[in-house]
Amino acid sequence: MTKKLTFIKAIIITFLLLNVYSVAAQKPVLTDEEVVIETVTKEIDDVFVSKEFLNKKNKKFTDIKGTMVVDIGIVQNGKVSSFFKVESDIKDIDFINFMSDYILNHKFNFKLQKQQRYKIRYTITF
């Protein structure tokens, strides 16, 4: 009977630990607009200095220099819903399309409340 009880306890503890891990692994839900803006800005800053991005950019667009101001729309699950170039001194349409595709495929490491959307204005200098 003791072995059976120990086995049941071990299963219960394992189940509880798995639940704690899955809760901890979930993305945080951001509710404050200032926090969302700050988090988006930091995450996008990190994206643009990442090796992955720089390798892709430099493969086709090594000579691109300038500044872009863009609006990035974010929806509930952290996905980018829209990318709009507000202004830019970079005129290369292929590069602008590359940036649009790259950002639209990004998924942020947070969630928003249900039915919540934010549009963030972001300036990037290359």
Side-chain angles (χ1 to χ4, degrees):
M1 185 77 171
T2 316
K3 286 183 180 181
K4 188 175 183 181
L5 190 56
T6 305
F7 179 72
I8 291 173
K9 285 181 183 178
I11 289 184
I12 290 172
I13 290 172
T14 302
F15 178 74
L16 291 173
L17 287 175
L18 287 175
N19 281 339
V20 167
Y21 176 75
S22 69
V23 168
Q26 290 179 353
K27 294 180 181 181
V29 177
L30 302 183
T31 57
D32 182 71
E33 185 173 7
E34 292 296 320
V35 174
V36 171
I37 292 169
E38 184 180 308
T39 305
V40 167
T41 301
K42 182 185 177 334
E43 206 169 309
I44 291 292
D45 284 346
D46 291 346
V47 165
F48 288 143
V49 296
S50 72
K51 273 191 168 186
E52 178 189 347
F53 173 78
L54 293 173
N55 287 341
K56 286 184 179 185
K57 177 196 165 284
N58 291 334
K59 199 172 197 179
K60 290 179 99 177
F61 306 105
T62 53
D63 298 333
I64 294 293
K65 302 261 188 268
T67 302
M68 290 177 69
V69 178
V70 297
D71 285 340
I72 301 169
I74 299 134
V75 292
Q76 178 185 343
N77 58 0
K79 286 186 178 179
V80 176
S81 62
S82 64
F83 176 93
F84 178 75
K85 178 190 67 120
V86 177
E87 68 180 74
S88 175
D89 56 9
I90 300 170
K91 302 299 179 202
D92 187 331
I93 297 298
D94 290 335
F95 180 73
I96 293 168
N97 288 337
F98 162 76
M99 288 296 298
S100 176
D101 290 343
Y102 200 88
I103 296 301
L104 285 168
N105 289 322
H106 183 74
K107 189 166 183 181
F108 288 95
N109 294 319
F110 62 84
K111 292 182 179 184
L112 300 174
Q113 289 180 325
K114 288 190 180 203
Q115 306 300 317
Q116 190 72 317
R117 256 185 93 108
Y118 285 102
K119 182 171 74 169
I120 311 298
R121 182 146 297 171
Y122 182 82
T123 302
I124 177 82
T125 301
F126 297 98

